[in-house]
Amino acid sequence: MKNKLRRMLKTTENEPTASPSTNEAQKTTAEQTAWLDRGADILTFEDEWIVRLDHRYALEEKHGHRSYAEVFESLQLPHPPLALDVPLNQVIFFDTETTGLKGTGTTIFLLGFARFEKGQLLMRQYFLPHPHYEAALYHHFLHDIGEDVRFITYNGKSFDWPQIKTRHVFVRERVPRLPKVGHLDLLHVCRRMFKGLYDSFRLTAMEERIGFERTDDLPGFLAPMHYFQYVEHQNPAIMEGVLEHHLHDCLTLVSLYDECNRLVTHRQEAPSRVRENIGIWLADLGIHEQSAEHFGQADELTAEGWLRQGRLYKKLQQHEKANTCFEKSNTYEGFIELAKWAEHIAKQPSVAYDYTERAKRLLENRQLLASRRERLFAELNHRSLRLQRKCRE
């Protein structure tokens, strides 16, 4: 049995590792064997070990109504907001499970990623069987992902990766390397694209868009409790629900990326509000031509949409189109823009004065901070007085 276990224990090639001592191996043999029986790998580092589980999916397989082949295609489209500047095998869909939400005492006990390699989608999970084996966890995870990666996450830019950097501090004497990391956080993408359409932007809410529904899913807030039970009892069955929940989180990122990419690249029909939201997002990024295309595909716009489209056309020096949008916005901001155009470009101070007065009336009905309201009225009154003087000249 010991010889069989020794053959099955895996270490990273060309990396300095040390097998557990004889006593340590005897203490953990039953626990490790239970994981091996489930198809996992046992990875060692110095006197520590962790569990790694791999799942491989053919490109024809699906998560929701998206095939992995479709995602593979999306990752190769060079559209600026969602494009990634590294080879596909350096793009990883990444998520973690932790013992808490913040603080230096919070431990990552499960991390993993999905990525495309060898014509398949690889889903890989790293499980920390004992809290004091973190050096082994980060040694193998960092070795596997490489020197230059791009994370696709959901709230990972402000949580998962910062948490890894925090925990890495405690093992950096033994695991000194952190890779060069780029980040695309789909939480912020979804908030931009689907603003006004959802009350919640939790990942499970976004799964509606990709046609995936979880069944008998373990709620994420229960994951720490299961981990603490595992540490006490060393029974892999305790972690089944947590592992499945984490796996679905990563696979959802894969399909959700394709969903967002298809909307941005016009390969999928979208409601007017989504087109408007994408147009505003691209305008903020300075991608003006694509922004105008998305605005143009929207059947109707909100007041904010007309205003932002107007400002886009103004920047492109298309003043006639811009003025039409400002009128349709029916906002005080829009009439301020029209007043500027009438005064400085059309040289029509009387028209500019009328627009300024209309802006004042619309401003009266807006709920604003008192200080901002006072400042705006002062600016408009100053403009009105200047325009009155011009009209008399």
Side-chain angles (χ1 to χ4, degrees):
M1 178 63 187
K2 290 182 181 178
N3 291 334
K4 179 181 178 182
L5 179 61
R6 191 175 296 111
R7 289 195 303 270
M8 297 180 77
L9 290 177
K10 298 190 183 283
T11 58
T12 306
E13 294 183 4
N14 301 322
E15 289 291 320
T17 60
S19 299
S21 65
T22 303
N23 290 337
E24 184 69 14
Q26 290 174 346
K27 281 190 275 186
T28 58
T29 295
E31 181 183 1
Q32 292 178 348
T33 300
W35 282 109
L36 293 168
D37 289 343
R38 291 171 175 267
D41 294 331
I42 303 299
L43 308 182
T44 64
F45 177 70
E46 297 179 353
D47 293 330
E48 302 176 5
W49 63 275
I50 63 165
V51 177
R52 188 176 72 187
L53 300 102
D54 285 355
H55 303 269
R56 295 184 181 273
Y57 302 91
L59 295 184
E60 294 74 25
E61 295 186 64
K62 293 184 176 183
H63 183 78
H65 54 241
R66 290 279 177 253
S67 73
Y68 299 129
E70 292 174 300
V71 189
F72 186 78
E73 175 192 7
S74 287
L75 283 167
Q76 299 176 79
L77 294 174
H79 201 281
L82 297 173
L84 296 151
D85 58 344
V86 293
L88 286 181
N89 63 353
Q90 293 170 242
V91 176
I92 65 177
F93 299 85
F94 176 70
D95 189 44
T96 66
E97 296 292 341
T98 67
T99 57
L101 295 179
K102 61 181 178 179
T104 55
T106 299
T107 299
I108 298 174
F109 63 85
L110 177 62
L111 52 79
F113 59 82
R115 74 176 171 198
F116 291 94
E117 64 175 42
K118 299 178 181 178
Q120 296 177 311
L121 180 72
L122 167 67
M123 176 65 216
R124 175 164 286 175
Q125 296 171 296
Y126 303 79
F127 175 66
L128 180 69
H130 300 285
H132 53 286
Y133 287 173
E134 283 185 289
L137 180 73
Y138 294 113
H139 168 81
H140 288 289
F141 168 69
L142 293 173
H143 178 268
D144 283 357
I145 65 173
E147 295 287 343
D148 187 9
V149 295
R150 298 297 178 268
F151 286 140
I152 297 178
T153 61
Y154 207 80
N155 199 32
K157 192 170 186 178
S158 60
F159 181 75
D160 296 285
W161 182 242
Q163 192 65 35
I164 284 178
K165 291 193 289 186
T166 297
R167 298 308 301 177
H168 178 263
V169 169
F170 297 102
V171 298
R172 63 185 174 188
E173 296 296 326
R174 302 160 64 193
V175 188
R177 178 182 58 82
L178 280 177
K180 177 184 175 183
V181 169
H183 221 115
L184 175 64
D185 199 315
L186 291 181
L187 171 61
H188 306 300
V189 172
C190 288
R191 282 176 173 169
R192 280 286 202 167
M193 295 179 65
F194 307 127
K195 177 182 177 182
L197 299 179
Y198 292 92
D199 296 326
S200 168
F201 285 92
R202 295 175 63 86
L203 184 61
T204 50
M206 292 299 98
E207 287 177 337
E208 295 178 13
R209 298 204 64 87
I210 63 172
F212 179 71
E213 183 177 357
R214 303 192 189 212
T215 56
D216 301 323
D217 182 58
L218 177 79
F221 70 87
L222 292 179
M225 181 185 71
H226 281 249
Y227 179 63
F228 295 137
Q229 288 180 350
Y230 173 86
V231 171
E232 181 179 357
H233 300 289
Q234 291 92 49
N235 182 358
I238 295 172
M239 297 305 299
E240 283 183 355
V242 179
L243 291 166
E244 183 176 5
H245 174 88
H246 175 260
L247 181 143
H248 287 316
D249 281 351
C250 292
L251 295 182
T252 288
L253 293 178
V254 176
S255 296
L256 186 58
Y257 175 87
D258 182 62
E259 173 74 9
C260 295
N261 194 289
R262 284 177 172 275
L263 293 169
V264 170
T265 55
H266 307 280
R267 291 177 298 146
Q268 181 174 320
E269 294 294 326
S272 288
R273 185 59 189 270
V274 172
R275 287 290 174 220
E276 174 185 324
N277 290 339
I278 296 174
I280 292 173
W281 180 31
L282 295 177
D284 287 341
L285 294 173
I287 307 173
H288 299 144
E289 183 177 344
Q290 292 95 325
S291 173
E293 289 178 9
H294 282 279
F295 277 126
Q297 289 186 0
D299 297 327
E300 187 54 66
L301 300 177
T302 65
E304 181 187 8
W306 286 118
L307 180 65
R308 295 301 301 274
Q309 186 180 29
R311 286 175 174 164
L312 173 64
Y313 284 134
K314 177 185 175 181
K315 189 168 291 187
L316 297 173
Q317 302 293 310
Q318 298 180 31
H319 295 293
E320 185 176 344
K321 290 182 177 181
N323 292 345
T324 299
C325 294
F326 290 141
E327 287 272 7
K328 288 184 176 182
S329 77
N330 197 33
T331 61
Y332 76 86
E333 299 100 326
F335 284 108
I336 289 174
E337 294 288 354
L338 288 165
K340 292 177 181 178
W341 166 81
E343 179 182 3
H344 300 297
I345 297 177
K347 306 299 182 182
Q348 298 175 337
S350 61
V351 175
Y353 177 80
D354 290 339
Y355 282 139
T356 302
E357 293 302 305
R358 292 175 70 178
K360 287 183 188 178
R361 291 193 292 272
L362 288 169
L363 181 58
E364 289 175 352
N365 298 322
R366 285 291 298 270
Q367 297 294 323
L368 298 172
L369 289 174
S371 58
R372 187 175 182 218
R373 177 186 294 274
E374 184 178 344
R375 177 177 59 80
L376 287 169
F377 268 117
E379 292 174 356
L380 289 171
N381 287 330
H382 180 74
R383 183 184 297 275
S384 292
L385 291 173
R386 184 179 68 249
L387 291 168
Q388 284 178 322
R389 288 196 299 270
K390 285 188 175 183
C391 288
R392 291 193 295 267
E393 293 175 356

